[in-house]
Amino acid sequence: MQISSLIGGLSAIGGLSLAQATVTSPVIEADDFSIPGALQDLGVDVSQIPALKSFAAIETRSTDKACAAACASLSFLFGSKVSDQETTGYNNFTSSFWSVQQEEVQPHCVFRPTKNTEVSTAVLLSRLTGCEFAARSGGHAAFTGASSAPGGISIWFKDMSAVTLNPDKTVASIEPGNNWLTTYAALEPYGLAVIGGRASSIGVGGFVLGGGISYHSNLYGWSCDNVESFEVVAASGLIVTASANSYPDLYWALRGGGNNFGLVTKYNMYTIPSPKMYGGARTFLETEFPQVINAWINVINNATVDGNAQQYVAFLQTQGMNLASAELTYVKNDPNPEIFKQYRNISAISDNSSAKTLVEYVKYLETENPYGLREVYWPISAALDEKFANWVVNLFYSMIPDVANVAGVQPNESDDKTVYAFVNKFMEKVIAEAKSVGVFNEYVYMNYASIFQDAVAGYGAANKAQLKKIAKKYDPREVYQTLQPGYFKLDGPPVTPSF
């Protein structure tokens, strides 16, 4: 297998801020809230659904019976939009995840809604039966259950894939079934884009809700900084539009708060010009590592001078060789910008840089992130320090022999514990050193966080408390915490580590 350690940087880290507009929002879920009543408002009479007529009181329900009733109810209401196990539609869902860990999850059924009210109905049926659910946009997470519900309802947004522009083309409305290829392709004829992902198959939903680092982030900020408004299905089934002026606290929470506040059925994002770009990977031998790290440092230090540059550097071992691969992207069609001059002066063994449209670029980068592998991310944040960066790279290569028994082959499930323990041991050493030299920062980027990390805690105690307060306001029964248990919750990591 190819083992790599990623080092990358932006000139500034975007995060949550406690500053909010003081606008009063109406009550989303009253104390006397009735699930059957909310379904009735959507045109669903629960007394007419055969699977619910003999369904026992919730105290006696098993998970199997709950999800059988929920899936049967969805099938009764929506027919072919629901796929049961061992059907083509179901297999298309499970076989199309990026990571094998996600592919292995077996939900009770898969529901493909086509409009927001159908999403509301699915959430309410989950509440009525007690069947857990998960929602999938692109399905690009690296761990089990992130966007598929084991034994539950997996809501696949694939058929909610519209991309439209407002009259003056300043805002693109993007449904969650889109990935960044389909989004950019829809906007390219207008010479426009939005602040989005860097590989084609990454889904819009999880990317934006987790923050969203983009090629254009040094110019415009992260993806979550560029959302005009969100259309959200609350736990009550109510559909609201959250913006800086309407439900501003919910809008604040969704910009980095993950899936803890509702299911977003439309992302209304500010557009940007999208000219041709220039970039690609420049690969270096181990003898050049110190120069590469110095170049990486200097590009970050000059990001305020030229925000058109974006970079990351991966250090890897493949076929017995230690290599550094610098992905250097310039968001204008300039093959030799001054900010990358230092990189160009370092001898490289390969360079595939070329002029590309944004659509071409995300297609190219997709080839660097193939499907069908077991995956793990595990980030930390640290202040920029060249000596520390060199120390981390040297530590990484010194520890690779610890996983020699899985290197060179495609790992299987039995290797997960070995690989996770290796990465944990490596990160413990890195964090200890970062704290020792005074560069450690508690922030954890949700979109790269491991299954063992508490991404929400990384926002700081005050922000975490505010997020929990907002969740309680919009979801008083904690539906999105308990019935949608996958991904990064407000109270801790998806899995408690035990190494």
Side-chain angles (χ1 to χ4, degrees), residues 69 121 163 176 182 228 262 433 443 485 497:
T121 300
V163 179
T182 60
E228 184 269 340
E433 179 70 10
Y443 175 73

Side-chain angles (χ1 to χ4, degrees), residues 132-134 145-146 149-150 259 479-489 494:
E132 293 180 354
F133 67 94
N259 66 0
V479 171
Y480 287 109
Q481 301 302 305
T482 57
L483 286 177
Q484 186 194 221
Y487 213 53
F488 297 97
K489 302 288 96 176

Side-chain angles (χ1 to χ4, degrees), residues 12 20 30 39 71 101 142 153 158 170 221 239 256 259 268 286 302 308 312 342 401 415 445 457:
Q20 299 174 39
L39 283 164
C71 289
Q101 294 102 312
I153 305 164
K158 186 176 178 65
T170 58
I239 299 165
N259 66 0
N268 300 310
E286 187 172 11
N302 284 287
N308 295 290
Y312 61 82
Q342 187 176 352
D415 294 312
Y445 179 46

